[in-house]
Amino acid sequence: MFTTRPTLQGTFGMVSSTHWLASQSAMAVLEDGGNAYDAAVAGAFVLHVVEPHLNGPAGEVPILLAPAGGEVRVLCGQGGAPAGATIEHYRGLGLDLVPGTGPLAAAVPGAFDAWMLLLRDHGTKSLADVLKYAIGYAEDGHACVENVGATVETVRELFDTEWTTSADVYLPDGKTPRPGELFRNPALAATWKRLLAEVAGAGDREAQIQAAREVWRSGFIAEALVRQAGRPTMDTSGERHTGTLTAADLASWSASYEAPATYDWNGWTLCKAGPWSQGPVLLQQLALLPPELPAYGSADYVHLLIEGCKLAMADREAWYGDADAVPLDDLLSAEYNAARRRLIDGKASHELRPGSPGGRAPRLCEHARVVAPAEPGFDPMGAGEPTVARLTADGGTRGDTCHLDVVDRWGNMIAATPSGGWLQSNPVVPELGFPLGTRLQMTWLEAGLPNSLAPGRRPRTTLTPSIALRDGVPVLAFGTPGGDQQDQWQLHFFLAVATRAKARGGLDLQGAIDAPNWHNDSFPGSFYPRGMRPGSVTVESRMDEAVVEELRRRGHDVTVGDAWSEGRLCAVARDPEAGILSAAANPRGMQGYAVGR
């Protein structure tokens, strides 16, 4: 199989992320004696600096970790809705959807606390050791990737007229950041330096990290975040609103550990975050597969995966969320999925068809029942999160996401998908150098649904990293940016790895990443304004023309996109028997890189 670059192989450590500076910073921590968790924290804070259009400290992150010899765990860095974030409050403002930008869309920030908890419990390095890379790039500057400037340009008018604190950072001297020129964020560097100074006398490594968590929750950082939430801010509704985040919300929330949702398939065990994320969608897509798969890459194969995705996503709409008693066991059961599989025939479905696990009646929100149209100017090339360079009809842009995987020489493994708190989500908090997030836009302003807006409830996130076990042993960590597309692209990647890709005695990660990919939008999108395109499929132009024509003959509304436009996967792997580590990264977007030795 042709690949754009080799699958890296070594024995010391491997990192793959969506930006080369984050990958190399994480690798520097491994070289300095740190473990995979130290490295991941360092890389994550660098991602906040170098991909500010894709994530920030006040965003969120689900983390899957597989300690050497231990159990796979989920570390939830997705904050819940503030106590004042009620459906009645938002409806009282004349809203029928949570805005896509502004403080009304801000959940309790979760990313920072999750990274601190990971460093405290599983790392070995000090807070200063892991923050020094991010501080350096923020203070001394880094050469921006092209999409940073492109994103800022789309919101230039908003920054100039409304979000002036963002203009102060991202339009220095009135100019957008340009590739090849150093870009600095001195306010962000100052925030982390002040944090380190305040916790320096707290005691040992763990005490300092715990003190940093308290500064975030109730110190100068919390105070600045609450002040920002209380400032009237123009959002996608076209009105200025204040948010609901309070000091009590920040002080009472903590990242937490939980068991993963899992599914066994052909000797593999896939681990995902629970149904407060869309992670089980990947598990359910596997459960919907027949015992024998069609030929890889054939029209039958692509059609099967698309139609299975539609059924799993319909169940996501009806059943997934942070409400009590999500019937996940029934949704992943063999009996349920055998019945669902019989709905797949030779034609493309254009309906949203949730099932009835355990005999329960599905309930969809009104927005989905009326088949919400896509917004004007809808771009199927980047539905969901990967639309950072596209101006929407309401003048806003959506953010994207990052991903980071690490495996070290001791066998520790981690997969994380940081997102939210994008530069285009909310105005920059002037005292801090970063904005609040907007994850509440994924909730519904209709009561009684698993994903209804409710105080304390986590919005159902699209962020969905993966760890896979082979015969019970963790061997593969992977994930991708891409909103609703994440578990579509990951399914094709995983099947390529698991069913056909072998090279040099190891998993052909790069070949699976480089293979032509696709996605569909036949379900309500998770991002404002929540549009959908029944029957749609977007494919890369590298897909076989005969396959494209056969998909159209079967009733799929196929859009042929650019050759390298679908999927932004990262992956690391370990072969416990051979003692070989491997890694690969996505060439699409020209910024993801794997490093290792």
Side-chain angles (χ1 to χ4, degrees):
M1 177 188 293
F2 166 79
T3 60
T4 57
R5 51 184 91 162
T7 296
L8 304 184
Q9 292 187 313
T11 58
F12 180 82
M14 292 283 162
V15 181
S16 179
S17 87
T18 47
H19 196 289
W20 62 83
L21 291 180
S23 295
Q24 189 54 48
S25 297
M27 191 67 201
V29 174
L30 294 182
E31 296 283 5
D32 194 43
N35 65 20
Y37 309 116
D38 299 311
V41 176
F45 278 86
V46 170
L47 286 173
H48 297 157
V49 178
V50 300
E51 294 190 321
H53 58 312
L54 309 181
N55 79 136
E60 44 276 326
V61 59
I63 301 169
L64 268 67
L65 57 150
E71 298 289 327
V72 176
R73 300 291 287 169
V74 175
L75 176 50
C76 175
Q78 174 59 66
T86 64
I87 291 174
E88 293 74 20
H89 176 65
Y90 287 66
R91 290 288 190 179
L93 296 172
L95 300 170
D96 58 4
L97 290 174
V98 177
T101 60
L104 275 178
V108 178
F112 179 88
D113 196 62
W115 291 119
M116 291 300 100
L117 201 61
L118 178 71
L119 184 65
R120 187 196 72 183
D121 295 346
H122 297 277
T124 64
K125 293 291 189 180
S126 71
L127 184 57
D129 285 338
V130 297
L131 281 183
K132 66 183 180 183
Y133 305 93
I135 291 172
Y137 287 125
E139 187 169 48
D140 302 327
H142 66 283
C144 279
V145 295
E146 184 176 356
N147 273 344
V148 174
T151 303
V152 173
E153 193 60 39
T154 65
V155 288
R156 171 188 279 274
E157 182 178 354
L158 180 66
F159 282 12
D160 282 337
T161 60
E162 296 282 347
W163 296 8
T164 56
T165 58
S166 296
D168 292 342
V169 174
Y170 290 105
L171 289 168
D173 300 320
K175 298 178 181 178
T176 56
R178 298 177 182 177
E181 297 180 0
L182 286 180
F183 175 77
R184 297 175 175 86
N185 188 341
L188 179 58
T191 295
W192 298 145
K193 291 171 76 173
R194 178 178 174 182
L195 175 70
L196 290 175
E198 290 198 7
V199 306
D204 62 10
R205 187 190 78 90
E206 292 186 12
Q208 289 186 16
I209 295 169
Q210 187 60 33
R213 298 178 71 203
E214 295 308 317
V215 171
W216 180 274
R217 291 171 174 168
S218 58
F220 79 93
I221 294 177
E223 293 168 358
L225 292 173
V226 171
R227 279 195 299 271
Q228 185 63 45
R231 293 179 176 124
T233 301
M234 179 65 70
D235 59 36
T236 52
S237 72
E239 303 289 338
R240 295 180 184 89
H241 292 114
T242 57
T244 61
L245 184 69
T246 68
D249 295 318
L250 281 164
S252 62
W253 189 84
S254 173
S256 58
Y257 294 99
E258 59 188 54
T262 63
Y263 185 77
D264 296 330
W265 184 82
N266 287 5
W268 294 81
T269 300
L270 267 291
C271 301
K272 303 289 282 187
W276 56 267
S277 77
Q278 75 170 3
V281 164
L282 179 58
L283 309 183
Q284 194 171 351
Q285 287 178 98
L286 288 171
L288 284 162
L289 294 176
E292 295 294 327
L293 293 178
Y296 176 89
S298 66
D300 286 341
Y301 177 86
V302 178
H303 175 79
L304 174 69
L305 267 57
I306 292 169
E307 294 303 302
C309 174
K310 292 175 185 178
L311 295 174
M313 285 295 197
D315 279 343
R316 183 192 76 166
E317 278 311 308
W319 301 109
Y320 290 19
D322 198 27
D324 294 334
V326 175
L328 193 57
D329 288 344
D330 288 329
L331 285 165
L332 297 179
S333 69
E335 180 182 17
Y336 176 75
N337 286 286
R340 297 285 277 157
R341 191 182 306 125
R342 289 193 287 271
L343 296 175
I344 301 175
D345 56 23
K347 296 294 184 183
S349 170
H350 288 231
E351 301 176 54
L352 193 66
R353 300 183 290 179
S356 300
R360 304 168 183 84
R363 182 182 174 192
L364 296 172
C365 68
E366 183 66 30
H367 198 77
R369 291 198 297 273
V370 299
V371 189
E375 69 268 26
F378 181 86
D379 179 6
M381 297 304 301
E385 285 183 310
T387 52
V388 293
R390 181 171 66 84
L391 187 67
T392 61
D394 51 38
T397 60
R398 302 176 192 159
D400 198 349
T401 297
C402 307
H403 189 80
L404 175 71
D405 300 310
V406 188
V407 60
D408 64 28
R409 62 189 184 274
W410 300 288
N412 299 302
M413 185 176 287
I414 184 170
T417 309
S419 187
W422 313 296
L423 67 86
Q424 63 278 21
S425 63
N426 260 296
V428 166
V429 183
E431 305 94 325
L432 303 178
F434 58 84
L436 287 163
T438 55
R439 197 58 56 170
L440 291 186
Q441 67 178 290
M442 301 178 138
T443 61
W444 295 114
L445 297 181
E446 182 178 339
L449 301 169
N451 195 32
S452 298
L453 178 67
R457 183 182 287 182
R458 292 170 290 188
R460 189 193 66 218
T461 179
T462 54
L463 308 174
T464 173
S466 302
I467 284 182
L469 289 65
R470 184 67 173 167
D471 298 323
V473 178
V475 297
L476 178 63
F478 60 100
T480 178
D484 296 314
Q485 293 99 293
Q486 289 184 28
D487 282 316
Q488 301 185 55
W489 294 335
Q490 289 186 63
L491 174 68
H492 184 209
F493 164 82
F494 173 71
L495 291 177
V497 168
T499 64
R500 68 185 295 271
K502 293 283 185 179
R504 293 178 293 176
L507 302 175
D508 182 17
L509 304 182
Q510 195 64 52
I513 287 173
D514 288 353
N517 219 319
W518 62 85
H519 82 271
N520 84 91
D521 301 301
S522 295
F523 45 86
S526 295
F527 294 86
Y528 182 92
R530 315 300 296 269
M532 62 178 168
R533 298 174 62 237
S536 69
V537 179
T538 303
V539 306
E540 291 182 319
S541 61
R542 294 180 295 127
M543 183 176 283
D544 189 316
E545 290 183 9
V547 172
V548 173
E549 289 308 309
E550 176 59 18
L551 292 174
R552 286 176 170 151
R553 191 191 69 78
R554 297 184 186 199
H556 296 280
D557 179 11
V558 181
T559 297
V560 178
D562 293 339
W564 297 91
S565 55
E566 293 288 319
R568 289 177 54 200
L569 283 136
C570 299
V572 300
R574 59 185 291 264
D575 183 336
E577 294 183 1
I580 299 294
L581 309 178
S582 56
N586 168 56
R588 302 164 178 90
M590 304 298 287
Q591 64 191 68
Y593 276 87
V595 295
R597 69 172 179 87

